[in-house]
Amino acid sequence: MRVSELCFQIALELGLTTFLDYRLFLVGAEGYGRMLFDDEILDEVMEQHNPLNPNVSKKIPKLMDRISYFFNKNEISKDLNFIYRKAVFLGTEDEKNVNGQEPKRLHLFVSQLFLDIARGVFLLDYGQYQLAVAISAYLRIGGIEEKDKRYINVKDEDIQKAVPRHLLVTKPLEDWRQGIQERWIKLTKEINELVGTGNDGNQGDLEFIRKTAAANMLYSLVVSNPLYGCMIYLVQIAEETLKHLKPGFPITVFLAVKESGLHLFNSTTKELLKTIGIGYIKSVYINHKTIHFRGEDIVYKFSTHSSLEIATIFELYQGLFRFHIKQAM
């Protein structure tokens, strides 16, 4: 089976009508891994990453079971998993429209946002992390009121789901719990005011609407963050490119590929250092360990093992950019 076929079947299984922005990724023991390309054969991928066990593909059940197998990230071996995640981001308004029309996409995407928040992708403050955990608890359990707080505690799993480990240890766990519980109560009140209590309606539908409202709050929390809406890669800037950048520019940076172009971030502070507009790039050249973006007067060259993946994502955005230009003529 090709990767494109499995992605299509996953979308059918999940009931998605818009899904071309989602891709299948290989995740190894070291963490988040590479994107699988549409024409790759899954059995070959598994055999390639399990050279000591050429029969690993025989552990995979039939087609419909296989879809659930990959989506739930069950182990194929001790160090090989797959994850289905969003890789291409449209403009903010377009994303809001699609999520509004298809709430299942929003709920799927929120699961990905929690992973990124816990990995420390976004620069959030203490209160924002508390809110993220409160949303996680709301999505898992539902709302709580002031009178309930003696009986319902914030679970460790919710805290760990939305707070990076290095930040979690900066305050006593009980401080986190108390702050999150207050946020949870406030969140419940806000959603009840927004959606209503629905005493005379279908409680199942109302519960989904409430959880969709909570999911939208998480989306709103990160959508304006500079590192939202992009694929991020740790790269090294080639010496010939550094000559064209300001003195002291770091060699190792985060390269973020977005709809608007290429963005270089400090790999430690996540400060935005430089933006290269998508319309500026005239062509892209790759080999196994480098990628070259040729601009009007500068070639930006980066060393990376993800050159094909970066080029694939960038060219998708470039195609959208050219399409919009033609539409505007």
Side-chain angles (χ1 to χ4, degrees), residues 249-304:
F249 205 96
I251 296 175
T252 301
V253 296
F254 282 135
L255 171 64
V257 185
K258 304 181 73 169
E259 183 192 32
S260 54
L262 305 175
H263 303 259
L264 304 181
F265 289 86
N266 185 295
S267 60
T268 303
T269 65
K270 297 179 183 173
E271 173 194 1
L272 178 61
L273 302 173
K274 186 173 183 61
T275 296
I276 307 164
I278 196 162
Y280 175 82
I281 304 298
K282 303 306 177 186
S283 62
V284 183
Y285 166 76
I286 65 170
N287 62 31
H288 181 57
K289 292 184 179 180
T290 61
I291 185 166
H292 308 239
F293 295 94
R294 185 178 66 81
E296 294 175 357
D297 51 1
I298 300 174
V299 175
Y300 292 92
K301 179 180 176 182
F302 305 100
S303 296
T304 171

Side-chain angles (χ1 to χ4, degrees), residues 79-91:
D79 58 1
L80 182 65
N81 295 295
F82 294 86
I83 188 169
Y84 183 64
R85 63 171 286 153
K86 186 173 174 65
V88 178
F89 297 78
L90 305 175

Side-chain angles (χ1 to χ4, degrees), residues 125-138 142-144 146 149 154 175-191 217 221:
D125 59 34
Y126 180 54
Q128 289 172 320
Y129 278 116
Q130 286 182 326
L131 176 58
V133 179
I135 293 171
S136 171
Y138 189 98
I144 63 168
E146 185 73 29
K149 69 179 185 180
V154 178
D175 288 358
W176 281 101
R177 290 187 198 283
Q178 289 178 2
I180 292 163
Q181 194 174 59
E182 293 303 318
R183 292 269 177 173
W184 192 359
I185 292 168
K186 184 179 178 182
L187 175 70
T188 301
K189 184 178 179 182
E190 289 174 357
I191 291 176
M217 288 180 178
L221 180 66

Side-chain angles (χ1 to χ4, degrees), residues 6-275:
L6 180 58
C7 286
F8 177 71
Q9 291 294 340
I10 291 173
L12 287 180
E13 181 78 358
L14 295 173
L16 304 181
T17 57
T18 306
F19 58 87
L20 295 179
D21 49 341
Y22 275 80
R23 294 289 189 273
L24 199 63
F25 287 78
L26 180 70
V27 183
E30 71 284 355
Y32 178 70
R34 73 173 182 86
M35 182 176 77
L36 299 182
F37 301 101
D38 285 346
D39 59 352
E40 288 190 79
I41 307 298
L42 284 165
D43 286 351
E44 292 178 1
V45 171
M46 290 183 283
E47 288 176 7
Q48 177 186 352
H49 289 272
N50 291 270
L52 301 180
N53 186 3
N55 296 318
V56 66
S57 61
K58 294 180 180 178
K59 297 181 182 179
I60 308 284
K62 293 182 179 180
L63 177 61
M64 296 311 293
D65 292 332
R66 182 184 296 196
I67 294 167
S68 176
Y69 196 93
F70 283 129
F71 184 69
N72 289 310
K73 299 178 287 179
N74 293 330
E75 289 190 355
I76 296 172
S77 70
K78 290 182 179 179
D79 58 1
L80 182 65
N81 295 295
F82 294 86
I83 188 169
Y84 183 64
R85 63 171 286 153
K86 186 173 174 65
V88 178
F89 297 78
L90 305 175
T92 303
E93 289 306 313
D94 290 333
E95 291 281 353
K96 285 181 179 178
N97 289 337
V98 172
N99 289 339
Q101 295 166 7
E102 201 169 354
K104 286 183 180 179
R105 277 176 53 90
L106 175 63
H107 286 269
L108 176 63
F109 181 43
V110 159
S111 298
Q112 177 178 326
L113 287 181
F114 277 123
L115 289 174
D116 288 341
I117 290 170
R119 288 171 56 223
V121 170
F122 308 114
L123 288 173
L124 303 179
D125 59 34
Y126 180 54
Q128 289 172 320
Y129 278 116
Q130 286 182 326
L131 176 58
V133 179
I135 293 171
S136 171
Y138 189 98
L139 291 172
R140 187 173 60 83
I141 298 174
I144 63 168
E145 298 179 4
E146 185 73 29
K147 62 183 176 62
D148 302 321
K149 69 179 185 180
R150 292 177 55 193
Y151 311 104
I152 301 178
N153 293 318
V154 178
K155 299 289 186 182
D156 288 352
E157 64 188 271
D158 291 311
I159 298 176
Q160 293 164 0
K161 186 177 180 179
V163 181
R165 290 180 183 177
H166 70 277
L167 289 177
L168 190 56
V169 298
T170 60
K171 291 182 180 292
L173 195 56
E174 192 54 36
D175 288 358
W176 281 101
R177 290 187 198 283
Q178 289 178 2
I180 292 163
Q181 194 174 59
E182 293 303 318
R183 292 269 177 173
W184 192 359
I185 292 168
K186 184 179 178 182
L187 175 70
T188 301
K189 184 178 179 182
E190 289 174 357
I191 291 176
N192 285 344
E193 290 174 351
L194 181 67
V195 176
T197 55
N199 294 326
D200 54 351
N202 186 310
Q203 289 300 313
D205 289 345
L206 186 62
E207 187 65 18
F208 182 75
I209 293 170
R210 285 173 179 158
K211 289 190 175 182
T212 298
N216 269 311
M217 288 180 178
L218 187 75
Y219 174 76
S220 298
L221 180 66
V222 300
V223 70
S224 60
N225 194 286
L227 283 164
Y228 169 81
C230 57
M231 294 291 289
I232 304 167
Y233 305 89
L234 190 66
V235 302
Q236 287 193 319
I237 303 174
E239 186 175 342
E240 55 265 43
T241 300
L242 279 172
K243 293 176 183 177
H244 298 283
L245 302 175
K246 63 184 180 181
F249 205 96
I251 296 175
T252 301
V253 296
F254 282 135
L255 171 64
V257 185
K258 304 181 73 169
E259 183 192 32
S260 54
L262 305 175
H263 303 259
L264 304 181
F265 289 86
N266 185 295
S267 60
T268 303
T269 65
K270 297 179 183 173
E271 173 194 1
L272 178 61
L273 302 173
K274 186 173 183 61
T275 296

